[in-house]
Amino acid sequence: MVSFTALNTSHHFKNLKKDENAIKANGLKIYLKINNLETSRLGINISSKGTNAVNRNKFKRRTKEAVKGLEIKENVDIYVIGSIQSSKLSLKEITETLISHPELKIK
């Protein structure tokens, strides 16, 4: 199990938000990049348009649980952007989408 700190400054997001770090699937856009820090960092974003607070919070909890369950050997930065479609995904579907990222398949 991996522990994560927050990915929370604009500088963190600018370094991560490049198309070579991203995949799109099931209404999710996932940016993942290996970092050289002592901790892994996680950022989650979902639009409030079309979803209510309950569904957004459920999505965030499921995403955090899916990321914690990953077996990652190195420290990474992960940024997950959700949509109306992805707010209804199950934990299993979110985990499968995360695992499909090419950076995780290399290890």
Side-chain angles (χ1 to χ4, degrees):
M1 191 178 257
V2 180
S3 65
F4 283 84
T5 59
L7 188 66
N8 57 6
T9 65
S10 62
H11 178 68
H12 295 160
F13 291 106
K14 282 182 186 174
N15 290 336
L16 189 57
K17 283 184 77 173
K18 295 186 171 98
D19 285 335
E20 66 265 14
N21 300 329
I23 64 163
K24 294 179 186 176
N26 293 334
L28 292 174
K29 189 165 189 177
I30 301 170
Y31 295 94
L32 189 141
K33 185 178 178 183
I34 304 215
N35 69 29
N36 296 323
L37 304 173
E38 295 180 11
T39 62
S40 293
R41 299 182 295 190
L42 174 65
I44 302 171
N45 189 1
I46 183 165
S47 175
S48 61
K49 294 183 180 175
T51 59
N52 60 23
V54 173
N55 289 334
R56 288 193 308 273
N57 289 329
K58 280 182 183 179
F59 171 75
K60 290 177 186 178
R61 285 194 303 271
R62 287 182 190 135
T63 303
K64 287 177 188 174
E65 189 65 31
V67 170
K68 285 180 183 178
L70 295 176
E71 294 184 18
I72 303 171
K73 305 288 188 246
E74 299 181 55
N75 291 324
V76 294
D77 290 341
I78 300 174
Y79 180 37
V80 180
I81 301 173
S83 65
I84 296 169
Q85 175 191 355
S86 64
S87 68
K88 296 172 180 70
L89 292 176
S90 69
L91 175 63
K92 182 180 178 186
E93 292 169 323
I94 294 171
T95 304
E96 288 171 356
T97 306
L98 280 166
I99 291 172
S100 70
H101 197 286
E103 284 287 328
L104 293 177
K105 289 184 177 185
I106 294 171
K107 308 303 174 239

